[in-house]
Amino acid sequence: MKNFYAVLYGCMFVMFGFGAYADDVSGLSVAILNAKNSCSGISDSMSDMKKMAGINTAVTGVGTVTAGVALGAGIIKSGVDETIETWEQALNDMIKKQEEENVTFYRIDYTDVQKSFNEKIKSTDAIKSDIEQANEVSKKLGNIRTGTLAGTAVLDTAGTIIAANNRVDEDLQGLVDNCIKSIKNLQNEQIRARTENTASAEELQKSEKIIANCRDWEYLDLSKINKRATGAAISGGTGAALALVGTVTSASANSDSVRGDNSDAGKQKEKNLNTASNILAGGATAASGVATIFNATQISAIKKAVEVADKCEGALK
């Protein structure tokens, strides 16, 4: 029987002791500790996202520039190609006239290809030389267009990958949700502590500071960050795809096999490929520009979250 009472008293001691311990560790002090644990570490994650958004803005910005260079080179190339076509037609006409009328054309100062060859006449050899030089220029411009489009494809692909991953994932959203939940609980515990007078002035002051500086998480729309990331990824992907196709098209247009085909069908094919390359370069420029805008606006959205996180975590110290 003595053993029975000893066990009974022991159980009662444990129960009452545990209850007393529970009272000691519960309440406002526990709510403050829970808020510190739940709301810490978010600032670092947000700062990393801000850095990546800045990097991506630079990446897609350079992609926009390279695509613009490709478009500019393509436009200039089109003008050179038109000049070459004019010269070649004039050359053929002169050769034909020489053969028909047994006339020899001598070189006279010639500076404006748009003016009539009846006004300023060149020898056939001189025109051939000019055509060769113009073809070299056209070839170089075509290579520039191809190279810069290839660069845009690489840059926009990198930007797409960064944008796709630079978003508020489930883990980060979970941290924010837990922080919001802990702040709400802290508010409830603060009200209870004030009503029951169970907390020190220091605890009340600390809890008030945390609540005031961390409650903004509840009103911050993190979905804006992801929406901008999605927009950047889609635009960047579009720019990369257009640039990649443009690279292949431009390379084909500038290949020796295409440029060397002087048949009507061959010349038309080259012209069509060059036109397509320029259109693709223009599309890549626009898409890259949109991606850059999305990345820049994502920085703004992330910056607001970073400010909330820093403000909150500053109050937790």
Side-chain angles (χ1 to χ4, degrees), residues 145-185:
R145 182 181 61 192
T146 301
T148 49
L149 278 172
T152 300
V154 172
L155 290 165
D156 281 3
T157 298
T160 300
I161 294 172
I162 293 173
N165 289 282
N166 197 41
R167 51 195 301 120
V168 179
D169 57 18
E170 292 182 1
D171 292 338
L172 181 54
Q173 185 64 60
L175 289 176
V176 174
D177 291 342
N178 286 335
C179 178
I180 293 172
K181 184 177 179 181
S182 70
I183 297 303
K184 288 183 177 179
N185 181 64

Side-chain angles (χ1 to χ4, degrees), residues 220-296:
L220 188 67
D221 185 8
L222 294 179
S223 66
K224 291 181 179 180
I225 296 175
N226 287 357
K227 288 177 182 178
R228 286 163 173 74
T230 299
I234 293 174
S235 300
T238 301
L242 291 171
L244 181 59
V245 176
T247 300
V248 176
T249 306
S250 181
S252 178
N254 213 39
S255 65
D256 292 337
S257 59
V258 172
R259 294 179 65 91
D261 188 350
N262 292 319
S263 66
D264 291 341
K267 290 182 178 180
Q268 188 60 48
K269 179 180 179 181
E270 181 183 0
K271 185 179 292 186
N272 291 342
L273 287 171
N274 279 317
T275 300
S277 298
N278 291 346
I279 291 173
L280 289 165
T285 303
S288 296
V290 172
T292 302
I293 293 172
F294 272 118
N295 287 321

Side-chain angles (χ1 to χ4, degrees), residues 4-276:
F4 171 77
Y5 284 118
V7 172
L8 179 61
Y9 289 144
C11 291
M12 291 176 65
F13 174 78
V14 171
M15 291 175 64
F16 286 122
F18 179 79
Y21 174 75
D23 286 339
D24 289 340
V25 298
S26 63
L28 188 59
S29 61
V30 173
I32 292 174
L33 181 61
N34 184 46
K36 288 183 177 180
N37 292 334
S38 299
C39 296
S40 298
I42 300 176
S43 179
D44 290 340
S45 297
M46 289 296 178
S47 294
D48 289 341
M49 289 183 66
K50 183 181 177 182
K51 290 178 183 177
M52 293 308 296
I55 292 171
N56 206 13
T57 301
V59 169
T60 54
V62 175
T64 304
V65 172
T66 53
V69 171
L71 177 59
I75 292 173
I76 296 172
K77 183 181 184 303
S78 295
V80 173
D81 289 343
E82 288 179 5
T83 298
I84 292 172
E85 186 176 357
T86 301
W87 286 354
E88 287 178 338
Q89 183 60 51
L91 177 62
N92 292 333
D93 291 344
M94 290 171 70
I95 292 174
K96 183 178 179 181
K97 190 171 184 178
Q98 284 185 152
E99 292 173 348
E100 292 177 350
E101 302 179 11
N102 194 25
V103 176
T104 301
F105 291 93
Y106 295 94
R107 183 180 181 91
I108 298 177
D109 181 36
Y110 180 86
T111 57
D112 188 356
V113 298
Q114 301 301 323
K115 292 186 178 181
S116 170
F117 274 79
N118 292 325
E119 295 177 6
K120 295 187 178 181
I121 306 173
K122 301 179 75 172
S123 69
T124 54
D125 289 340
I127 296 177
K128 287 179 182 178
S129 176
D130 288 343
I131 290 174
E132 289 175 1
Q133 292 178 20
N135 271 313
E136 289 180 6
V137 172
S138 175
K139 182 79 172 180
K140 288 179 180 178
L141 288 168
N143 289 335
I144 291 172
R145 182 181 61 192
T146 301
T148 49
L149 278 172
T152 300
V154 172
L155 290 165
D156 281 3
T157 298
T160 300
I161 294 172
I162 293 173
N165 289 282
N166 197 41
R167 51 195 301 120
V168 179
D169 57 18
E170 292 182 1
D171 292 338
L172 181 54
Q173 185 64 60
L175 289 176
V176 174
D177 291 342
N178 286 335
C179 178
I180 293 172
K181 184 177 179 181
S182 70
I183 297 303
K184 288 183 177 179
N185 181 64
L186 180 59
Q187 286 178 300
N188 294 333
E189 286 298 330
Q190 185 195 62
I191 294 172
R192 187 182 70 80
R194 288 185 184 278
T195 302
E196 299 177 3
N197 196 27
T198 57
S200 66
E202 184 180 354
E203 288 176 328
L204 290 171
Q205 185 179 7
K206 183 65 176 179
S207 63
E208 185 63 36
K209 182 179 179 182
I210 293 173
I211 292 169
N213 287 279
C214 295
R215 61 164 40 120
D216 288 345
W217 276 125
E218 186 177 354
Y219 310 107
L220 188 67
D221 185 8
L222 294 179
S223 66
K224 291 181 179 180
I225 296 175
N226 287 357
K227 288 177 182 178
R228 286 163 173 74
T230 299
I234 293 174
S235 300
T238 301
L242 291 171
L244 181 59
V245 176
T247 300
V248 176
T249 306
S250 181
S252 178
N254 213 39
S255 65
D256 292 337
S257 59
V258 172
R259 294 179 65 91
D261 188 350
N262 292 319
S263 66
D264 291 341
K267 290 182 178 180
Q268 188 60 48
K269 179 180 179 181
E270 181 183 0
K271 185 179 292 186
N272 291 342
L273 287 171
N274 279 317
T275 300

